[in-house]
Amino acid sequence: MLPGEYRVKAPGALVRAGIEQSSARVTELATDAALVVEEVKLNGRGVARARVSQPVEGWLSCKCVSSDAGVVSIGGVSLSVARDFDAALVPAPPPLRGCGFEFSRAAATLQWMLRKAALRQDMFLLGDAGPRCRQLALAFCELARREAEFVSLTRDSNESDLKQRR
């Protein structure tokens, strides 16, 4: 989940003062209430929690949050996203322990990816070993409500391996 405007999808979404589920209760939000998510982190038990700034400040479970925007914009680049999509096929990756996704560092790349998608062009991400490129690709797919398929390449990968996956 990326920073932005969302809606409450679960009835009685409970907002708490801290990231831990044992922290003090702030309020309970009604279904379909608008809210602004600032960041997402894992609490001590490994549960993804979203820090909201509006309509109240606090933390709530990511399971209670749903996006309803029809257009996604980053830095002046906009992309229409489908309102009717199969949520099971669109990734909603939880933050990885020890390598949090920093939206501010990834904004330029996500903007480039939005521009490519708006022009209906293919994208190819190359990067160092590790989860960053995969995390960026999954974040884009979540943002644009697109299905994702991950293909890992190694030195032993060959052309026939890739053709079998089509």
Side-chain angles (χ1 to χ4, degrees), residues 15-112:
V15 179
R16 295 192 176 267
I19 193 169
E20 296 301 328
Q21 293 165 313
S22 59
S23 63
R25 293 179 178 200
V26 175
T27 190
E28 192 171 302
L29 298 176
T31 304
D32 214 34
L35 52 94
V36 176
V37 173
E38 298 296 334
E39 67 178 320
V40 175
K41 288 187 176 180
L42 295 177
N43 67 8
R45 293 185 175 178
V47 177
R49 306 278 289 168
R51 182 174 64 86
V52 296
S53 61
Q54 290 179 12
V56 295
E57 293 209 13
W59 293 83
L60 75 150
S61 172
C62 288
K63 293 178 182 178
C64 300
V65 178
S66 171
S67 173
D68 69 336
V71 176
V72 174
S73 297
I74 298 178
V77 178
S78 297
L79 177 70
S80 294
V81 295
R83 289 183 182 267
D84 55 337
F85 62 95
D86 188 354
L89 300 177
V90 176
L96 300 175
R97 291 181 190 254
C99 55
F101 182 77
E102 295 180 34
F103 183 77
S104 58
R105 287 182 50 198
T109 306
L110 286 171
Q111 181 182 9
W112 173 82

Side-chain angles (χ1 to χ4, degrees), residues 144-163:
R145 295 186 187 153
R146 302 241 174 131
E147 295 178 19
E149 181 178 353
F150 179 76
V151 178
S152 180
L153 299 176
T154 65
R155 278 187 244 162
D156 299 331
S157 299
N158 58 39
E159 185 179 354
S160 62
D161 291 337
L162 295 175
K163 287 181 178 178

Side-chain angles (χ1 to χ4, degrees), residues 101 113 125-139 150:
F101 182 77
M113 293 171 82
L125 295 177
L126 290 176
D128 296 331
R132 298 266 186 228
C133 281
R134 181 181 67 245
Q135 195 174 21
L136 187 62
L138 292 177
F150 179 76

